[in-house]
Each structure stands twice: as structure tokens, then as C-alpha cells.
Amino acid sequence: MERRFYRLNEISQVSALSEGDLLDLVERDVVSLCARVEGTEFAAMLKAKDGEYGLGNLFHYRGMISLPNSVSVKLINDEKASLTRALILEPEGVSQWRSNQALAQEHPKMSFSYCGNLSVLPQNPFWAFTCVQALPDMHSIMKGFETMTAALADQTVDRLDAFKAMTQKHLSTAALNIKPHQLRFELESIKAHLRHNSVTTKPFVAPTETLTHPIKQILARMLTTQPHLRSDRLWNMLRTEVNQDGPREYDVDSVISNMTHDDLSWFGRDRNKENTVSYGRFQNLVSEVRKALKT
């Protein structure tokens, strides 16, 4: 099964970009990053009557969340970052989906609205509070402290009531901390960026007397849209295209039958004969195509 999310240092294995290219795109707010998280205090965000978002179903979660650009930039610079709400990208990673009714009854004081519950778990990405906790209520603590002080001086004041007031809590959102090693990127968003950039470039007009070799024609399409790519990045980019399902953007005639780390196999006009190109030969073809495009 094809993976959807990858670690940042895997970018050159699945696309034509280097890790530096990816980080530059993030810093320029062109693409967004994700993070792999795990927790037991998530709560669905449901819209209340006043238009604000309130507390919905409670759940455990292990999976990917989408990160705001500001959080992504902090993390790629090895700074700590945190958030109190996030887009849940993998509903299949949700467990213990349950009603919030018992929690709301136990802690009637909340920092947000109580919005009931969804009958079923959403099948598409949805927003959630990342860390719902019962926190000490400072107002109750101060009031309880005053009552306890009075109880010490006056035996008619109930010390138990004073203690209960001091320990009363309210529901609120605490921060979920994210560390740099949790960062991931979604491959499809990178592909979409590359496709968009390819569309905006000028069309390639092949010098037919030079580029009759099928692999050279593929390379010409790639170098026309992204002329500064090195041979290793062209190889990885093409290997990713060949080894996935769906239409091909550069090998439009599907002449390449297989591609590994070391060589690629392709069919020419004679479909009964399979040809092989090593990576070393591929590098030479790249150089030849570059020269042809300059003429």
C-alpha cells in the first residue's frame, strides 16, 4: 500500500525535491507540513448556536494532524511548538469515540460551549481540540481559601465545604506539544505543487533530429519544466512516477516498464524487445539532452 505521509529526509526518494527545497517551500508558505501525534484527550469541535466552536465527542487519537505554517516554521528551526486545536487528517486513527455528557456533568464550568455529540465518527478530516483537561479554577481556589481561613477562626464554618470549593475544577484546553521529529509531509501536496509549476512553464518543442531516443524525449519534458534538476533527482522523480498507479506526466507513452535504484527497463517500437538503461548511462543521456535543449 502506498504511503501517504513521509519524514522530511525522505523527500528526495519520492520526488525531485531535496530536503532543503522542501523547507524553503514551507518557509515561503507554499506547502504545509503535518505531524504524527498520539493522545487520549481529544474532543471534536462542533459549531454552537452563537457560531463559536464548542465541545463535542471525546476520543483517543493516533495519527496525522495538519499544522499551521507558523508552527511548521518553528519546528523546522528546532524550536518547540504547541497548539490547542488541529485538523484530524486520519479519522481511521480515532479510537474510544464517546459522548462528552459524563465529563460535562462532572465539570459544568467550561472555557467553551457544550455542543452535544455526533452520532457517528466523521469519515473525512475534522477539527478537534487537542487536549481537553479539567484544570484548577482560580476563582474557586481563592474563594475556598477565604472560606478555609474563616473556618480556622470560626468553628461554625464547614471546613469540608471550603476544601471542596478549593478543589473545584473547570474544563479547558491545554497545549499539545509538538517536537521536530514528529514532522511529516503529505506526498500528494508536493505532487500538486510540482504539477502546478509544470503547467505554468512554456511548452517543449523537441529538436526531432536529435531527440529520437524515447528516454531522451522523457528527459526533455522533465528538463523543460525544471531545467536545474540534477541527474539523481531526475532519476528519483521518474522512478516515483513509474512505480505508482495513474497517468504519467513525463513518460506519457508509458515506454518504461520497470525502474529500480540501479536501472530502468523500456520498450521501443518493438514491443517484444525490452531495453535496459543503467543509472550511469542515464546520467550521460541527461547531459546529451541538456546540450540539445541549449541549441
Side-chain angles (χ1 to χ4, degrees):
M1 183 175 66
E2 184 180 0
R3 289 164 58 190
R4 179 180 173 188
F5 300 96
Y6 293 80
R7 292 173 176 81
L8 305 194
N9 61 8
E10 295 179 297
I11 183 68
S12 62
Q13 300 175 25
V14 294
S15 80
L17 301 177
S18 67
E19 186 173 351
D21 295 329
L22 175 60
L23 298 184
D24 179 66
L25 291 175
V26 174
E27 290 176 337
R28 291 192 288 113
D29 200 11
V30 176
V31 298
S32 300
L33 293 179
C34 310
R36 181 171 180 79
V37 299
E38 183 174 357
T40 60
E41 299 166 333
F42 287 83
M45 292 172 57
L46 302 182
K47 186 171 288 188
K49 293 181 180 180
D50 58 5
E52 296 295 325
Y53 282 93
L55 184 73
N57 303 66
L58 306 174
F59 62 94
H60 297 180
Y61 182 60
R62 183 179 184 181
M64 296 294 175
I65 61 172
S66 178
L67 295 177
N69 181 257
S70 59
V71 172
S72 297
V73 172
K74 281 186 178 181
L75 289 170
I76 64 177
N77 288 308
D78 292 323
E79 296 182 25
K80 62 180 181 180
S82 60
L83 37 75
T84 58
R85 59 187 64 188
L87 183 64
I88 302 298
L89 295 176
E90 298 180 297
E92 63 272 21
V94 171
S95 62
Q96 300 294 314
W97 180 257
R98 62 197 186 278
S99 168
N100 61 20
Q101 186 173 3
L103 187 63
Q105 290 176 347
E106 183 181 355
H107 303 286
K109 297 187 67 175
M110 296 193 294
S111 300
F112 31 67
S113 303
Y114 167 66
C115 291
N117 297 278
L118 296 173
S119 58
V120 295
L121 171 68
Q123 297 301 303
N124 297 316
F126 63 96
W127 283 93
F129 296 111
T130 57
C131 195
V132 175
Q133 293 182 343
L135 302 175
D137 183 77
M138 295 307 298
H139 177 74
S140 298
I141 289 176
M142 294 303 296
K143 184 178 180 180
F145 180 77
E146 292 174 359
T147 306
M148 182 64 75
T149 302
L152 294 174
D154 186 350
Q155 296 300 319
T156 62
V157 178
D158 194 326
R159 297 184 183 183
L160 180 59
D161 289 343
F163 177 76
K164 288 180 178 179
M166 290 181 68
T167 57
Q168 186 176 0
K169 296 182 179 182
H170 74 286
L171 286 182
S172 186
T173 53
L176 176 68
N177 296 318
I178 310 293
K179 298 180 180 179
H181 75 267
Q182 295 172 260
L183 284 174
R184 302 289 190 274
F185 68 88
E186 186 176 21
L187 181 58
E188 185 55 40
S189 66
I190 301 301
K191 290 181 179 179
H193 168 71
L194 293 175
R195 285 195 298 267
H196 175 74
N197 283 352
S198 297
V199 170
T200 59
T201 57
K202 62 182 180 179
F204 168 66
V205 179
T208 54
E209 70 280 2
T210 306
L211 301 180
T212 57
H213 193 292
I215 304 304
K216 283 187 177 182
Q217 292 176 348
I218 295 171
L219 287 172
R221 296 187 190 101
M222 300 176 76
L223 288 170
T224 300
T225 59
Q226 300 178 83
H228 302 297
L229 292 184
R230 302 188 308 268
S231 296
D232 58 335
R233 292 171 63 187
L234 289 167
W235 181 273
N236 288 331
M237 186 175 178
L238 188 56
R239 183 163 62 90
T240 299
E241 178 179 281
V242 169
N243 292 327
Q244 67 181 12
D245 295 329
R248 298 182 182 182
E249 182 177 356
Y250 301 108
D251 181 16
V252 294
D253 298 316
S254 297
V255 299
I256 300 176
S257 58
N258 185 49
M259 194 167 178
T260 67
H261 288 282
D262 303 313
D263 53 47
L264 66 82
S265 302
W266 62 279
F267 290 98
R269 292 182 178 179
D270 183 1
R271 283 286 174 174
N272 295 318
K273 180 182 179 182
E274 189 174 46
N275 305 281
T276 300
V277 172
S278 66
Y279 177 67
R281 175 55 180 154
F282 181 85
Q283 289 178 301
N284 293 335
L285 292 176
V286 171
S287 298
E288 293 169 13
V289 172
R290 288 191 196 279
K291 293 179 181 178
L293 291 178
K294 291 179 180 180
T295 59

